[in-house]
Amino acid sequence: MTAAAVLVAYPVIAAIVLPRLLGRAGWAERAPRLAIALWQAACGSVVVSILLAAFALAVPASVVGHGLAAFFAACAALLAHGPGMTAATTGVALAVAGAVVARVVHCAVAVLSRARAERRRHAETLALLGRHDGRLDAIVVDYDERLAYCLPGRHGKAVITTGALRSLSLEQVAAVLAHEQAHLRGRHHLVLAGAETLVRAFPGVPLFERAREELARLIELLADDVAARRHPRVLIATALVGLATGRAPAFALGAGGETALARVRRLLNPATPLGRRQRLAGSFAVGLLLAGPATVALLPGLSSFLAHHCHQFLGL
């Protein structure tokens, strides 16, 4: 019951504490990829902890450490005899776990289905109004507003308007499109879809709300960094200034938008990248968040397993 209590308490505490703790991480702009992984690990650890709490309540801790045969036997007993044969909390725990899984799956399907439908409609519009430019490897749309964005998906494509082409130099256009290609190759739309799924599944949870905001910002920083490997940062920055007022479709990832000016300052005044030790510490934190709930759930059973075999070995 100790492991279950910890696993139940952790999501409540983490949902309040982690967004404040991670939100104060000043290093995030220096390593957006690592920061993205940390936010995702934090959100995942909360959901997994809830599911493992049900696991810890439903399956006796002593069973976990005695091999797969005993574990599957315990699970079979639950299925054959129902929760009435175990503690009363078992039925509640299994119901909570099932409801959490069903809720997350339902919201994920809804988010992905809606986004896919919106992208399909927009792609049909682009097929009528746009033209593919092989030199730019992008769809060009005759539109006065200065826009550059990507339409993600299986057949993702970068889109730029004639208004943007008229206001940007060829080098700036190449830098902006490199930013959009970074979104497509990195499948950043799936990062946002995962964050949106958790917000819809568990509305009002501070961690999930803050994660959605931070992940939307961090993927833009990451795309800037990827583009900066091939193009001067000043070109990306000046292009962002020209695109700052443009608003891409809600289901697309645009180079401009509300974060453009803050990103310009970051591009023109780049901070020193994280050192090796700092990156290792961040990676350790990601691993701790991902493995922590499972370790707590398995620890009582493993302790029982080790104690049992030590006693046998010592002849006690």
Side-chain angles (χ1 to χ4, degrees):
M1 289 297 291
T2 302
V6 172
L7 290 168
V8 169
Y10 170 76
V12 178
I13 298 173
I16 299 173
V17 174
L18 285 181
R20 298 176 182 175
L21 184 64
L22 296 180
R24 291 197 298 266
W27 57 265
E29 293 191 355
R30 299 163 61 191
R33 191 186 302 275
L34 180 59
I36 289 170
L38 197 57
W39 278 102
Q40 289 179 314
C43 293
S45 69
V46 168
V47 177
V48 170
S49 184
I50 296 172
L51 297 177
L52 289 178
F55 168 85
L57 289 170
V59 180
S62 59
V63 172
V64 177
H66 285 84
L68 290 176
F71 171 71
F72 286 132
C75 293
L78 287 176
L79 294 174
H81 303 293
M85 299 297 294
T86 62
T89 54
T90 299
V92 176
L94 294 178
V96 169
V100 168
V101 172
R103 178 69 176 168
V104 171
V105 171
H106 171 76
C107 291
V109 170
V111 168
L112 293 173
S113 298
R114 179 179 178 181
R116 188 179 298 113
E118 290 175 335
R119 291 196 299 265
R120 186 185 302 114
R121 288 193 295 269
H122 194 70
E124 292 171 353
T125 302
L126 290 176
L128 295 174
L129 302 179
R131 66 181 188 278
H132 183 267
D133 189 313
R135 183 173 57 90
L136 298 176
D137 190 22
I139 302 297
V140 177
V141 179
D142 188 9
Y143 189 49
D144 289 336
E145 187 172 357
R146 293 172 293 183
L147 285 174
Y149 60 93
C150 66
L151 193 64
R154 183 177 299 177
H155 304 291
K157 58 197 73 175
V159 181
I160 191 166
T161 63
T162 53
L165 291 176
R166 285 193 296 267
S167 64
L168 303 177
S169 68
L170 290 178
E171 292 81 6
Q172 289 173 325
V173 169
V176 165
L177 292 179
H179 172 102
E180 301 306 333
Q181 291 295 337
H183 280 317
L184 294 174
R185 288 193 299 270
R187 297 185 178 275
H188 293 163
H189 65 290
L190 296 181
V191 175
L192 297 182
E196 182 66 26
T197 293
L198 292 180
V199 169
R200 292 195 182 192
F202 309 103
V205 176
L207 174 61
F208 299 154
E209 295 280 355
R210 184 66 182 272
R212 179 175 60 178
E213 298 174 6
E214 289 297 314
L215 289 172
R217 182 179 69 92
L218 290 168
I219 63 171
E220 294 299 333
L221 303 186
L222 178 57
D224 286 340
D225 289 348
V226 173
R229 296 172 187 170
R230 299 173 53 191
H231 302 275
R233 300 176 77 90
V234 65
L235 284 179
I236 305 172
T238 53
L240 287 177
V241 172
L243 299 173
T245 58
R247 289 188 175 273
F251 49 85
L253 298 172
E258 297 176 354
T259 64
L261 295 181
R263 288 158 51 207
V264 167
R265 290 192 293 268
R266 175 178 179 268
L267 286 165
L268 295 178
N269 300 284
T272 305
L274 292 184
R276 185 170 178 271
R277 291 185 179 179
Q278 292 171 308
R279 289 185 177 275
L280 287 175
S283 299
F284 177 77
V286 171
L288 185 63
L289 285 169
L290 291 175
T295 303
V296 172
L298 294 174
L299 188 59
L302 293 177
S303 299
S304 175
F305 172 80
L306 292 174
H308 173 74
H309 285 275
C310 284
H311 282 184
Q312 284 187 334
F313 178 77
L314 296 173
L316 299 176

